[in-house]
Amino acid sequence: MRISITHKLFLAISLAAAVAVISLVLAMQWSMKQGFLRYLNTIEKTGVSRLAASLEEGYRRESGWGFVLHHPAMWQRLIMTSIPEGGMPPPPGPPPELLAGPAANLPPPLGMDEKAPHRPLPPRLLHHFEQRFFLLDAGGKVLISRLEIPAHSEATPLRNQGKVIGYLGILPRTEISEPHQERFLKEQTMAFAIVAGIVLLLASWLSALLSKRLVRPLQNLAGATRLLAAGKFTTRVEVVSADELGQLAGNFNTLAMTLEKNEQARRQWVADISHELRTPVAILRGEIEALQDGIRQPDQHSLSSLHGEVLRLARLVEDLYQLTMSDLGALTYRKKNLDIIALLKEIVVIHAAQFTEKGLSLTNTVPAENAVEVFGDAERLRQLFTNLLDNSLKYTNAGGALRIDMTCHERTVRIDFQDSAPGVAGADMERLFERLYRVDASRNRETGGAGLGLAICRNIVEAHLGKISVQPSPLGGLWVQVELPRTNP
C-alpha cells in the first residue's frame, strides 16, 4: 500500500504532537504530585513548631520527659493540638487513671483554647500524622518513635534555659494516603487528560492543514515536472515563498528556462547546419547535372569549381566535428609547459604573407624577452591563434590592419587581437561565440566562414582554464582578448 507524502506528514506531525502532549501531561502529573507532597510536608512542619513549644513548656514544668514517656495519651493529645488544620481540638482526654498522675495538673497545650468547640480528628488522619512524629533526647537517643528514623533526618532542637534538651521531628510524607487528597489528584489528572485530548485534536487539525500546505508546492512541482518531461519546456511554477520549497521552485523555473533555450538552440543548430550543408550540396548537384546534361564541359575550370565546393564542404564538416568533440570533451589535449611567446611568433610568421597579399598591415608587440610559460597543448593553441588570425584575414577590409599585443601579469598572460573595420554592432557582438552565427554585413559564405571559428576558440581557451572576450576595437573593427594562466610568474 502506497502512502502519500501528505499522509506521511500528517502522521509524523500528529505523532510528534501526541508524544509531546503525553510527555507534558505525565511530567505535569508527576510534578503536581511531588509539589502537593512538598506542600503538605511544609504545612505539617508548622505543627512541629507548635508541638515543640508545648513540649518545651511541659519539660520546664515537669523537669523531664516523663509526662509524655509515661502517658502516651498526653503525647497524642499534644500532637492533636499541633495539627495544622485550624480549629481542630484534641480528642477526649486520657482515662482517669492517667489523669490522676502529674499530667493531670498540666495546663492545656500551648496555643490551645479550652473553650473552642471540640471536633474530633478522623482516626486514619490521626494515625498517619502521629506515627510520623519522633522525639529524641539531647544525645540523639530515640525517646518516642513508631517508625525507623532515617539518618540525617531533619529535627527541631528543643531548649530549656538555653540548653538543648532534645529534638523533635516529623518524617515527610512519601505518598498521598488521605481520600480527599487522592480525590483532588485524580480530579487534576482528569483535567490534564481532557486538556491533552483537546490539544491533540487541535494538533491533528493543524497538522492536516500544514501537511496540505507543505505538499501543495511539491504537487505543483511534480505536475510541472511531468509536463517538462513531455517536452513542454515553457512550463513554469509559481514561487510563493522564500524557503527551501520556494528555492526549489525557482531552481525548477531556471532549469525549465535553460532547457527551453537549449531546445531552441538545438532547433536553430539543426536548421543552420541543414542550411549550411544544403548550399554546397546544391551547388555540387547543379554543376554535376550540368556536366551530365552536356551544358558544361568537364574541363579544368569546371573541375576546379567542383573541387572548391568539395573543399568548402569538407571544411564545414571538419569544423562541425571539431566543435562537437570540444563540447563533448573528447578532444585530446596533451598539455605541457610551453613558451607562449615563441608559439605566437611562429603563427604570426606563417600568416604574414597572406596578410601582405590582401593588403593588410600586421603588427605585433609580442615581447622578445624571456619565455612566458603556460601549461597547454601546443596544437590546440596553434588552432586558437590560427582561427583568430583567419577571422581578421577574412573579414577585415583591404588596406586595414591587425595589431597583436601581449601583456604579462604576475599570474596571467593577456593577448589582444585588434583589427580595423568593419566592426560589429553591440547586439551582434554578444552572439559571436554562438555556433553558426555570422554578422550578415561582414561575414558570408563567399569568404568560406561557417560561423564556428569563435565557438571553437572559446572551447579551447576554457579547456586551458582561461578567458576569452570580444569588444569594439579602437581601430574600428573587433577586439578579441585572450587570457591564459602562467606557470612561471
Side-chain angles (χ1 to χ4, degrees), residues 55-94:
L55 290 174
E56 289 175 344
E57 180 66 18
Y59 185 91
R60 183 181 64 81
R61 289 179 181 274
E62 297 296 324
S63 300
W65 295 115
F67 73 102
V68 290
L69 294 178
H70 303 300
H71 302 283
M74 179 56 66
W75 171 252
Q76 181 178 353
R77 184 181 181 189
L78 291 174
I79 290 177
M80 287 297 300
T81 64
S82 66
I83 290 178
E85 300 186 20
M88 283 193 175

Side-chain angles (χ1 to χ4, degrees), residues 20-276:
V21 171
I22 293 174
S23 301
L24 181 61
V25 168
L26 293 177
M28 291 179 63
Q29 185 178 0
W30 178 85
S31 178
M32 178 71 181
K33 181 178 180 180
Q34 297 302 315
F36 191 56
L37 282 173
R38 287 193 298 269
Y39 169 76
L40 294 177
N41 290 325
T42 302
I43 294 299
E44 289 179 348
K45 286 181 180 179
T46 62
V48 174
S49 62
R50 287 190 286 181
L51 179 58
S54 298
L55 290 174
E56 289 175 344
E57 180 66 18
Y59 185 91
R60 183 181 64 81
R61 289 179 181 274
E62 297 296 324
S63 300
W65 295 115
F67 73 102
V68 290
L69 294 178
H70 303 300
H71 302 283
M74 179 56 66
W75 171 252
Q76 181 178 353
R77 184 181 181 189
L78 291 174
I79 290 177
M80 287 297 300
T81 64
S82 66
I83 290 178
E85 300 186 20
M88 283 193 175
E97 60 271 14
L98 293 178
L99 294 178
N105 298 321
L106 286 175
L110 188 66
M112 179 178 182
D113 186 3
E114 291 182 332
K115 298 180 180 180
H118 286 227
R119 181 160 59 89
L121 188 69
R124 182 180 179 186
L125 178 59
L126 174 61
H127 174 70
H128 285 290
F129 189 66
E130 177 190 3
Q131 69 179 0
R132 290 188 287 110
F133 271 104
F134 62 88
L135 179 65
L136 309 177
D137 63 8
K141 181 180 178 180
V142 178
L143 298 178
I144 298 177
S145 177
R146 296 188 180 183
L147 299 174
E148 182 179 356
I149 304 174
H152 308 294
S153 295
E154 183 179 354
T156 301
L158 304 176
R159 302 178 186 276
N160 183 32
Q161 297 180 354
K163 295 182 179 180
V164 176
I165 58 176
Y167 296 92
L168 175 66
I170 183 171
L171 298 177
R173 290 172 180 257
T174 57
E175 293 293 336
I176 302 297
S177 57
E178 283 69 26
H180 65 283
Q181 296 172 356
E182 293 178 349
R183 184 170 57 254
F184 171 76
L185 290 180
K186 288 181 180 179
E187 291 175 354
Q188 296 303 313
T189 301
M190 182 61 66
F192 288 155
I194 294 174
V195 172
I198 296 175
V199 172
L200 285 177
L201 290 177
L202 291 176
S204 299
W205 177 67
L206 289 176
S207 62
L209 293 181
L210 184 60
S211 59
K212 289 181 180 179
R213 180 177 179 83
L214 289 176
V215 171
R216 188 178 298 113
L218 296 178
Q219 291 175 340
N220 295 337
L221 281 172
T225 303
R226 287 192 292 269
L227 294 176
L228 197 65
K232 297 181 180 180
F233 301 118
T234 57
T235 304
R236 300 291 185 272
V237 294
E238 182 182 2
V239 180
V240 295
S241 62
D243 55 9
E244 287 80 358
L245 290 176
Q247 295 176 2
L248 179 60
N251 293 338
F252 175 87
N253 290 338
T254 302
L255 173 64
M257 182 175 60
T258 303
L259 291 176
E260 182 181 9
K261 290 182 177 179
N262 289 342
E263 178 63 15
Q264 293 175 353
R266 185 190 66 82
R267 293 178 180 178
Q268 186 65 37
W269 167 258
V270 173
D272 290 343
I273 290 178
S274 301
H275 182 67
E276 294 292 336

